[in-house]
Each structure stands twice: as structure tokens, then as C-alpha cells.
Amino acid sequence: MSGVPAVDAVALLPALAPAVGAVLVLAVDAALPRGRGRRVLDVLAVASLLVAIGSLAVLGDSTRLTFCHGSTAASCGYVAGRLSFSLQMVVLLSALICLLLALADDDRPELPRAEMLLLLLTATAGACALAGARDLATFAVAFETASLPIIGLVALRRDSVGAEAGVKLLLTAVLSFGLLALGLALLYASTGSLMLGAGVSDRLGDVRLLHGLGLALVVAGAAFKLSLVPFHLWTPDTYAGAPLSVAAFLSTVSKAAGLAAVVLVLAVGAPERSGLWAAPVGALAVLTMTVGNLVALRQSSAVRLLAWSTVAQAGWVLLPLAGAVGQSRVPGAVSASVGYLFAYVAGTLTVFAVVARTANHADGGAGHRLDAYAGLWRREPAVALALVFGLLCLAGLPPGIVGLVAKVIALVPVVGVGAWWLVAGAVANVVLGVAVYLRWAVQIFSGGESVERSPMTQRWTGRVALSVATAGCIALSVLPEGVVGLLAGSAVR
């Protein structure tokens, strides 16, 4: 039919597979008696994510365009390229590990299986679609699809703590989308086009200020998802009130979606104005990591420490964009941001997998304190080593080489533009971050003689999640050039 754009199903497969999986889960759960067929639902969910991951191997380095109204990428509503490939890889691998962690909570009635799988797959599909979105309408729909299901996931505990966390996240999501929608409206008004990257129109006079305000509002909306200061206040209470597998999902998949939104609106949408937005982004990044590290130093709860660690790490994820001064520097800065995201996700998932294992055997459950890890090296030496390695990866200390390499990658674009005040702030936060994670690591090797040595048990899916996350950290530390080779120099398209 004339005027109807062709659809490339292969390009959409990383987002379509989890979406189809969500529909199948819903249909099978409706067809089978309540409580029956849980294993079938589990297989469907895992299989849909594996298909999506496999589709990335098919896409590879190629660029595929769909929903096009012309012959160029600038006229296409969805682009499957190197940038979307990298972000979707982070999203799908993280979602798979978080799903395995959720399946390990098999005996917990507060986690209804079908609802949990449906919401997790839907949010994953939204995050994958957001990575490839290139028009404002797709951007907005994908952003909300990646956000709204997480509210339901947080509230799955079905107690007062889970309800409070869900309400806080709901209010945050409403405010976030309000800012985002207003910003997108201003971008459309100032460009006269729904496409990201459209130039500022001169039909209404000089509207560059209006365009800049639109960019700022969209970034503010995405900043809630990334937990950037001062949009971070929902983070600790929501993490503490959510199931641990959902908190891990928020720390990884949600952060990848937030970075995708920021990169798309700035690096894809306005690379020619990078000289104006780079410095404010850098200041926001350093402020975020400083607040996150300082407050994390005062935490005694493992989950709350991880929540504030997420805030601090979000600053590092954003920092390389401060080096995008000049359009030619934008691709390298984006690659550095995605590279740091990859390393951060590997370390965070390893730590969360250990926390989920320990929470079932500690007083206070998910709210357990850091001293619950005292003597862990005597009770569970392999688990203790995995936790220490994950913490060292986040701190950037050997043998967690991937964390050190990621921090160097993040600093290179900033050093390249001579923003030494940002470099100084980041280096100071390296020291603060080391103190945060070593404070936890010390607990693991203390108090061993007086601690009960009863072994910890966990379903096999939880053990697989821990093994895969730890193996990822080790592989990236042994071959850190893998991150550089995969992401460095990727084109923003």
C-alpha cells in the first residue's frame, strides 16, 4: 500500500521477542488452571529472552532501518545499528540474570509468577525498543513501556513496604513522564518534525532557546530513571521495598534504558549543540557520584548501600558525555558511556546475586545489614569470593580490572577536552568509591569464629544467575579489551 512504510521484523526482533513472550505467558496462564503450568511459563519467559539475545548475533554490526518515510536513516523511526546493539545487549543479558534470580524465589507467595514474568518481559521489550527509537512518538511510547511495568514489579511484595515503594515509584514515574512529554512537545514545536536529529526550524523565528529547554526537560525526565541527583530521592526506599530481583532489574535494565534516553535526545537528537550541553551534563555527573558515594558511606543496610551505589555509578555512566565538546567527539563519548555501563552492570549483578542468596538466610531478609556478611568467607568461600570480586569490579581495584578499565574509558573523553575540574571531581570519587566497597568487603573477612556456619541453600536458577554474573566479571577482567573492542568507536546512529 502506498505511503505505508515497510517493516523489518529482524531489526525489531530484540524488542519483539520479549513482547511476544509476555503475550504467550499471559495466554498460557489464562488457559491453564491457576497455579498450574508454572514451569511452562518459566520456559516461555527464558526462551523469549534467549531468542532476543540470539537475534543480536544475527544483527551483528549491520545497520537495518525500518518504519522509514524516505531513503535515509534520518527519515526512519527505528534504527538497528551499533548503538542499539550495545544497549540491547546490556538490557537482555541483565534481564535474563534478573529473571533467573526471580525464579529462585519459587516458594514466595508474594511473587505471583505469571504477573511477574509478564511485567518483567514487557519492561524489557520497552527498554530494547527505546534503544532503537529515532522518532519522538516511538521514543515516548518505548520509554513508558520500559517504566510503567516496573511499578507493578516493585509492588509485587503485597505488603506495606512494597506498597509504599510502589507508590513512590509511581509518583516519580508520573513526574518523569510529565517532564519528558513537555520536553518532547517543545522539541516538536521547535523543529517541526517528529524525527530525532531534525534541525531547528526558522519558520517561527529564533526558537533555539525553546529547543534547548525541550532538551533539558527530556533529560530531566530520563534523569529520574538514571537516579541522577537531584532526581534520585526515590531510589533507596524503592530498592529497599522491592523484591531483590526487581531491585537488581532497576539497577541494570532500568539504568540502561535511562542512558539510552539521554544518549538519544542529546547525541542523536542534538549533536551539533554538544558544546552547550556537555558541561552541564558533566557537572550533573560529578554531583551525582559525589552525593551517592558520601551517603553510601553511612549505610548499614546492604540493599540501601547498593541503592546509593547505583546513584554514584550513574554519575560515572553519564560522565563521558561531558567530553562531547564538538560534534566529532560525540561518538567516542557515547561509546565510553555505554562501555562503563557494561562494566557496571556486570559488577552490580554479581553483588545482587550474592545479596539475594544471603537475604534468605539473614535476619531481616532483604533488609539485612552489612554485618550479616561477617565470616561469609568461612561459611561459603566461593560465594564470598564472588561478592568480593564484584565489589572490587565496582571499586575499580585489581583483580577487578574491568572496573579500572571502565573508569579510564570514562575519563578519556573528559581529559581530551581539558575539563580538569571534572577530572579532579571524578578522581576524588574514585577514592570515595573504594572506601564504600572496601567497607563492605572487610565485613566478609571479619567475625568468622563466632558466626553460625549453617550452609546457605538456593534454587538452581539463583546459582546459575550468580555463576553467569561472576563469570562475566571475570571474563571482562581477564580480557578487558573485549569491552573496548565491542563498544569503542561505535557510530551514533
Side-chain angles (χ1 to χ4, degrees):
M1 183 181 297
S2 177
V4 177
V7 176
D8 185 347
V10 176
L12 296 172
L13 196 54
L16 280 179
V20 171
V23 173
L24 291 176
V25 165
L26 186 62
V28 171
D29 182 62
L32 295 177
R34 192 68 175 173
R36 302 288 183 87
R38 298 182 70 183
R39 295 294 176 265
V40 176
L41 300 181
D42 297 347
V43 171
L44 284 173
V46 172
S48 67
L49 292 180
L50 291 177
V51 169
I53 293 170
S55 70
L56 292 178
V58 175
L59 292 171
D61 291 338
S62 63
T63 299
R64 301 177 76 110
L65 312 176
T66 188
F67 299 124
C68 298
H69 299 277
S71 58
T72 63
S75 64
C76 296
Y78 189 95
V79 176
R82 191 66 181 270
L83 176 61
S84 63
F85 172 87
S86 302
L87 290 169
Q88 288 169 346
M89 179 182 293
V90 174
V91 167
L92 291 170
L93 291 176
S94 301
L96 179 61
I97 293 176
C98 292
L99 175 59
L100 293 175
L101 289 176
L103 298 183
D105 293 327
D106 190 62
D107 299 324
R108 294 178 62 183
E110 67 269 24
L111 294 179
R113 180 58 50 88
E115 290 87 339
M116 182 270 293
L117 296 177
L118 173 65
L119 293 169
L120 187 146
L121 291 174
T122 303
T124 302
C128 287
L130 181 60
R134 293 298 183 272
D135 68 72
L136 302 184
T138 305
F139 182 94
V141 172
F143 186 89
E144 279 306 280
T145 305
S147 303
L148 292 180
I150 300 178
I151 301 170
L153 284 172
V154 169
L156 282 181
R157 278 181 55 166
R158 296 184 176 179
D159 57 16
S160 58
V161 177
E164 180 183 356
V167 169
K168 287 182 177 179
L169 186 56
L170 174 61
L171 295 175
T172 299
V174 170
L175 178 57
S176 170
F177 186 69
L179 293 173
L180 187 93
L182 179 57
L184 293 177
L186 293 178
L187 291 181
Y188 176 68
S190 58
T191 62
S193 172
L194 284 175
M195 306 307 299
L196 283 166
V200 178
S201 173
D202 58 0
R203 289 177 297 176
L204 299 176
D206 189 357
V207 291
R208 286 176 296 177
L209 180 60
L210 188 67
H211 185 262
L213 180 59
L215 293 176
L217 288 174
V218 176
V219 171
F224 281 102
K225 207 164 187 61
L226 268 173
S227 297
L228 300 175
V229 174
F231 310 100
H232 68 291
L233 295 178
W234 62 274
T235 307
D237 289 340
T238 300
Y239 278 44
L244 283 172
S245 56
V246 177
F249 191 87
L250 279 166
S251 293
T252 54
V253 175
S254 189
K255 295 299 174 285
L259 177 63
V262 172
V263 166
L264 289 178
V265 74
L266 294 181
V268 175
E272 73 284 353
R273 307 193 71 177
S274 60
L276 297 177
W277 53 253
V281 165
L284 182 62
V286 171
L287 175 64
T288 297
M289 65 177 74
T290 303
V291 172
N293 281 323
L294 289 176
V295 181
L297 280 171
R298 299 177 57 85
Q299 301 305 306
S300 58
S301 163
V303 177
R304 286 185 175 273
L305 188 149
L306 279 173
W308 287 104
S309 164
T310 295
V311 174
Q313 296 289 347
W316 278 101
V317 169
L318 193 68
L319 179 66
L321 296 182
V325 180
Q327 195 165 348
S328 62
R329 296 180 181 271
V330 172
V334 171
S335 297
S337 283
V338 180
Y340 192 91
L341 176 71
F342 206 96
Y344 153 73
V345 163
T348 297
L349 286 174
T350 301
V351 175
F352 259 110
V354 176
V355 171
R357 182 184 177 95
T358 307
N360 295 328
H361 303 270
D363 294 336
H368 65 279
R369 296 166 57 88
L370 293 181
D371 53 21
Y373 296 85
L376 181 63
W377 69 282
R378 290 182 177 275
R379 304 193 308 277
E380 298 280 345
V383 175
L385 288 176
L387 177 56
V388 170
F389 196 80
L391 293 172
L392 292 178
C393 285
L394 292 174
L397 292 175
I401 300 298
V402 63
L404 177 61
V405 171
K407 285 180 168 57
V408 172
I409 290 174
L411 284 170
V412 166
V414 187
V415 172
V417 297
W420 300 110
W421 62 282
L422 291 177
V423 174
V427 170
N429 275 280
V430 170
V431 178
L432 289 175
V434 168
V436 169
Y437 300 114
L438 287 187
R439 176 169 163 261
W440 190 347
V442 167
Q443 289 284 349
I444 299 170
F445 298 100
S446 66
E449 295 297 334
S450 60
V451 176
E452 180 67 30
R453 298 189 185 183
S454 59
M456 294 186 291
T457 59
Q458 189 179 34
R459 288 182 58 81
W460 69 270
T461 56
R463 295 194 295 272
V464 169
L466 175 57
S467 300
V468 172
T470 306
C473 268
I474 293 174
L476 292 176
S477 292
V478 173
L479 299 170
E481 63 271 18
V483 175
V484 180
L486 177 66
L487 302 169
S490 63
V492 180
R493 57 176 183 259

